[in-house]
Amino acid sequence: MIVTGSDFADGERLVLTKPLVAALKARRDEVLAALRKGEIPVYGVNTGMGRLAGVALDARQQAEHQRNLLIGRAVGGPPWLPPEDVRALLVVRLRDFLRPWSGVSPDLVQFLVDRLNDGFTPAIPRTGLGSSGEIIPLSHAFQTFLGIGTVLEDGVETPAAEALAARGATPYVLGPKEGASLIQGSPLAVTHAQRGWAEARRLIRLQTLTAAFAIDVLGAPRAVFAPVMAGGDDHLRRLLEELNDLVSGGFVRPDVVQAPLSVRVAPRALAHADRVATDLRETWLRWESMPGDSPSFVDGEFVPGTGYHAVDLGLRMDALTAALVHVGEVSVQRMHRLLDERFSGLPAQLTADPGPRAGLVPLHKRAVGELHALRRLATPATLGSIDTSAGQEDVQAFAWAAGEQLRSAAAHLFAITACELITGSQARYLAEGKGAAGLRESYEWVRSVVPPLDEDRPLGPEVERLIAACRAS
């Protein structure tokens, strides 16, 4: 795919266009001309960094400094980011470098594009990142461009120099300011925000389906789901309309005045999660319009920035995690009601032979375990600053940690969702009739992965297959 400077899809081969290369070169020439003037200190270029920002560097020190910025801060270790997240981070960094405020050379941009195209996967730490920005993970990521550190080849740590040689590439030689640009900003937080948002959106859609299964199987009264009850809440109205479409024409039990609370409030819980997810998306889209380098090159001058303090991303990811925890709580409780013959009117524990066979109660126990782990992620990760750099850096955002928690929360909720989908599918299998027409295709989709149970069997592998199918849906 041709890189135009604005948008491109993950996983496609990238090619820099000639006009873009020309624009990058023109901006790089402006940066170098400004640096040659040497009249003012430029942070991280002709000065030290952090508490040492007041130390002026001579010509020899400046020549070594950009390389030292990468290798001296690579103090992390495993566990490493998964390859798909590494690629996403590199894509975010590429987008940053295509913006006018960066001013890195077209050679560095081309080197980054080549590494994206040839599957180069730096070993980037996921934890132990106590800096005010992301200099530790970014140092690990980009020291590999110099042939230093390690990369992951089929999951195995391999010296970066060997990986470059295997690709016919020589280690990159950094020019002025390029080392500083590589470790500035918050591309890891942006990566987590983008991928966490996508996972949350998929979960909201799937959880809408599980709620519809429960309404359909329990024959829940529909009045509580009337879109008019959303008032001015557009998120809630859309979810209620979608639920009504899914369960339209299904059976309603005339003897039930109210369905269990976990069934009735599901749309409200999902609407809140959808609202918070939308807010997160709008936030990282705003980040794409803001200079992330520090200093950024703006209107011919080097301007300090704060793109390393991604607190607005972190706090929104914390909020989305909390919203997903509540969705998980509602889901697990709803699943328990489906297993209870007093609410479902079906055989106890959704087994055709109660007593000799356990049915799906063990599956609910799996969901409870996932929920227990999910709840522990609700504590905000973004809060908790500690002095570093002898007091020069006295606040951290920890947005990357909020992203880790969001992604972990999504993983647990995918497992819970798979468990409830199986439960709803089994309940419909045991119930009379085919259920709501809008859900029949979804019931068949679940059964194509996890067939109904006529007798107990070990469901673990099938649950994992359905989790994978949910993630890919």
Side-chain angles (χ1 to χ4, degrees):
M1 185 175 183
I2 303 297
V3 177
T4 63
S6 56
D7 189 31
F8 42 88
D10 188 17
E12 295 190 58
R13 185 169 182 81
L14 308 176
V15 179
L16 291 177
T17 63
K18 289 183 178 180
L20 182 54
V21 171
L24 289 169
K25 184 179 184 306
R27 178 49 60 97
R28 180 61 175 172
D29 289 343
E30 292 177 24
V31 168
L32 294 177
L35 289 174
R36 280 193 293 268
K37 294 178 181 178
E39 299 171 355
I40 59 172
V42 180
Y43 180 71
V45 179
N46 55 25
T47 76
M49 295 189 78
R51 184 65 181 272
L52 303 177
V55 178
L57 305 182
D58 61 28
R60 181 188 62 81
Q61 291 170 327
Q62 289 182 42
E64 300 172 349
H65 189 48
Q66 298 306 301
R67 181 177 183 275
N68 290 339
L69 289 175
L70 297 183
I71 64 177
R73 289 160 175 77
V75 295
W80 308 116
L81 282 179
E84 59 272 19
D85 284 5
V86 173
R87 178 179 171 85
L89 183 150
L90 296 181
V91 167
V92 172
R93 183 85 299 176
L94 174 59
R95 285 194 174 104
D96 290 341
F97 286 171
L98 296 180
R99 305 298 183 185
W101 51 74
S102 177
V104 300
S105 69
D107 292 337
L108 178 56
V109 176
Q110 183 64 62
F111 194 91
L112 176 52
V113 166
D114 290 342
R115 301 294 74 77
L116 280 163
N117 286 338
D118 62 25
F120 193 76
T121 308
I124 303 174
R126 300 176 67 167
T127 60
L129 314 178
S131 54
S132 61
E134 296 178 358
I135 60 172
I136 295 175
L138 297 180
S139 294
H140 278 270
F142 296 114
Q143 67 171 353
T144 60
F145 284 18
L146 317 184
I148 302 167
T150 59
V151 300
L152 302 177
E153 300 276 50
D154 297 322
V156 177
E157 276 193 70
T158 303
E162 292 182 13
L164 289 173
R167 290 164 170 77
T170 57
Y172 185 78
V173 178
L174 295 165
K177 195 182 176 297
E178 289 187 326
S181 293
L182 284 167
I183 62 173
Q184 290 292 342
S186 300
L188 180 54
V190 173
T191 295
H192 280 313
Q194 292 175 341
R195 297 179 73 81
W197 170 82
E199 291 168 353
R201 289 291 304 146
R202 189 170 291 114
L203 282 163
I204 291 166
R205 179 170 52 80
L206 289 165
Q207 276 287 317
T208 302
L209 183 60
T210 64
F213 277 15
I215 294 167
D216 182 54
V217 169
L218 297 176
R222 306 296 199 263
V224 70
F225 305 115
V228 69
M229 299 306 292
D233 187 337
D234 292 338
H235 291 270
L236 181 55
R237 180 181 295 276
R238 285 195 298 270
L239 274 157
L240 289 170
E241 289 173 347
E242 183 177 354
L243 272 176
N244 276 282
D245 287 343
L246 289 171
V247 303
S248 177
F251 172 66
V252 180
R253 288 179 62 175
D255 59 325
V256 174
V257 177
Q258 283 193 327
L261 192 64
S262 57
V263 177
R264 285 179 277 143
V265 303
R268 190 169 293 275
L270 290 166
H272 174 69
D274 186 53
R275 185 179 302 106
V276 178
T278 299
D279 191 20
L280 174 61
R281 183 176 186 272
E282 291 173 351
T283 302
W284 61 254
L285 287 175
R286 286 196 297 271
W287 267 74
E288 292 188 356
S289 68
M290 294 185 292
D293 208 341
S294 183
S296 294
F297 191 66
V298 180
D299 296 330
E301 296 183 355
F302 295 100
V303 182
T306 57
Y308 46 80
H309 194 67
V311 65
D312 45 351
L313 286 171
L315 288 172
R316 283 170 172 83
M317 287 190 281
D318 281 334
L320 183 52
T321 296
L324 295 184
V325 170
H326 183 58
V327 168
E329 290 180 329
V330 173
S331 178
V332 171
Q333 291 300 97
R334 194 169 55 228
M335 183 180 175
H336 198 258
R337 299 295 88 83
L338 290 171
L339 291 163
D340 190 330
E341 68 276 14
R342 296 174 298 169
F343 296 98
S344 71
L346 299 172
Q349 303 184 179
L350 297 180
T351 174
D353 191 10
R357 305 196 187 282
L360 293 187
V361 160
L363 187 64
H364 179 254
K365 295 179 187 294
R366 164 74 186 271
V368 166
E370 298 286 351
L371 178 59
H372 182 255
L374 176 58
R375 281 172 169 157
R376 299 201 303 273
L377 297 169
T379 301
T382 308
L383 307 177
S385 297
I386 302 174
D387 270 8
T388 65
S389 293
Q392 178 73 11
E393 296 179 6
D394 53 356
V395 176
Q396 298 88 17
F398 294 114
W400 62 268
E404 281 283 338
Q405 287 195 176
L406 172 58
R407 307 289 299 288
S408 295
H412 290 299
L413 188 52
F414 272 116
I416 290 170
T417 301
C419 290
E420 192 183 359
L421 286 171
I422 295 169
T423 304
S425 171
Q426 178 72 5
R428 171 45 58 199
Y429 174 70
L430 295 174
E432 295 182 2
K434 296 181 179 180
L439 291 173
R440 290 172 192 169
E441 185 176 335
S442 297
Y443 284 128
E444 289 304 317
W445 171 67
V446 176
R447 291 170 189 164
S448 70
V449 183
V450 184
L453 282 79
D454 291 313
E455 59 183 29
D456 291 347
R457 65 177 188 263
L459 282 176
E462 294 174 70
V463 172
E464 295 306 311
R465 285 199 293 272
L466 186 56
I467 291 171
C470 286
R471 283 186 169 277
S473 67

